[in-house]
């Protein structure tokens, strides 16, 4: 049975932070939010911001990440492991 893909359900800016809301209906999965300033970098070399484990009937979490004013761009990836 295929596991539903995790999705970013919302991104907002609150002060100097980006706030990500994540959810899906998967259970017992491990999910990682990764970041990189270079989109062409292989995901294995991106930096992990958070790891969350879904143990109930749904996956739902919020991640807050400070915006670095010295970084011109940042990319984010939600990955199931």
């Amino acid at each position: 049975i295929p596991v539903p893909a995790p999705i970013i359900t919302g991104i907002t800016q609150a002060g100097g932070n980006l706030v990500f809301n994540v959810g899906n209906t998967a259970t017992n999965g491990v999910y990682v939010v990764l970041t990189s300033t270079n989109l062409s970098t292989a995901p294995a070399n991106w930096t992990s911001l958070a790891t969350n484990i879904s143990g109930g009937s749904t996956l739902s979490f919020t991640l807050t990440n400070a915006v670095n004013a010295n970084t011109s761009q940042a990319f984010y990836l939600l990955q199931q492991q």
Side-chain angles (χ1 to χ4, degrees):
I1 298 174
V3 176
I7 57 171
I8 296 174
T9 58
I11 300 174
T12 56
Q13 184 172 358
N17 295 309
L18 284 179
V19 180
F20 298 85
N21 296 301
V22 176
N24 77 354
T25 58
T27 59
N28 301 319
V30 177
Y31 301 88
V32 180
V33 178
L34 304 170
T35 187
S36 177
T37 56
N38 184 344
L39 190 56
S40 66
T41 300
N45 296 322
W46 287 34
T47 301
S48 174
L49 290 178
T51 300
N52 290 276
I53 299 172
S54 171
S57 61
T58 61
L59 168 72
S60 177
F61 68 89
T62 300
L63 168 70
T64 302
N65 186 55
V67 174
N68 183 344
N70 297 319
T71 302
S72 62
Q73 61 187 7
F75 302 95
Y76 299 89
L77 174 68
L78 177 60
Q79 183 178 66
Q80 183 178 6
Q81 293 189 327

